[in-house]
Amino acid sequence: MAEQDPPGYELPLLLFAGFRTLIDRLHAELARQGHPDIRPAHGFAMQAIGVHGATATELGRRLGVSKQAAGKTVDRLVALGYAERADDAADARRKVVRLTPRGLDALTRSAAVFDDLRALWVAEIGADRVRAMEDGLRAVVAPGGFGFDVAGWFGG
């Protein structure tokens, strides 16, 4: 008897569970490495700020949230020491949010932890299967599908 395909609703749940597993493990390791106060939304915000900085309006657009919501996230990142507000050299009326050395350290450590977590998946299910999964996801994800607007998207 042929095995029946699982119901379609399992696919997004499995993808989310895999994502959640990676993010939870990332944050446990970041806490161990000196960043116990960083949360998943902070990571998306720091990625959206980037190495060149962003205004609150730009950050809100990148995160898919209002300027006010982006401002609250920035306030929290500033309070935690991950970001700072600075005058824009090109326009003194604007403030730019920039990552501090602590923020850059958190992103650098995150990248290394993600490499380690990928290696764990390779050890668990094999390099060919991990590569096939990544290739398959690249094939179905829209071009430019790597966005930082997860929190805004989930929040409605």
Side-chain angles (χ1 to χ4, degrees):
M1 188 150 93
E3 188 175 320
Q4 195 173 23
D5 284 338
Y9 69 83
E10 282 188 12
L11 178 60
L13 294 174
L14 286 169
L15 288 169
F16 182 72
F19 171 79
R20 177 73 191 260
T21 298
L22 290 169
I23 297 301
D24 287 348
R25 290 179 179 173
L26 165 72
H27 285 274
E29 182 58 23
L30 285 176
R32 195 186 70 68
Q33 292 185 24
H35 295 283
D37 43 11
I38 197 166
R39 299 292 175 258
H42 300 151
F44 287 108
M46 289 191 298
Q47 287 287 337
I49 292 167
V51 296
H52 301 294
T55 65
T57 300
E58 291 167 338
L59 184 58
R61 187 172 46 253
R62 292 174 190 171
L63 293 174
V65 299
S66 69
K67 178 181 173 182
Q68 293 76 15
K72 286 182 181 182
T73 300
V74 170
D75 289 344
R76 187 69 184 138
L77 289 173
V78 168
L80 293 171
Y82 291 106
E84 63 188 3
R85 288 183 174 90
D87 292 330
D88 186 339
D91 185 348
R93 297 170 295 172
R94 292 183 352 150
K95 291 284 186 188
V96 176
V97 180
R98 291 194 174 90
L99 297 177
T100 62
R102 181 167 171 76
L104 293 170
D105 179 68
L107 288 182
T108 300
R109 288 175 187 271
S110 293
V113 172
F114 278 130
D115 287 342
D116 293 343
L117 291 171
R118 186 184 185 282
L120 288 174
W121 281 33
V122 165
E124 181 72 24
I125 65 172
D128 291 342
R129 290 177 73 189
V130 170
R131 262 190 241 104
M133 178 177 52
E134 291 167 337
D135 290 345
L137 289 169
R138 282 187 195 95
V140 298
V141 171
F146 294 125
F148 306 115
D149 63 345
V150 174
W153 184 81
F154 270 121

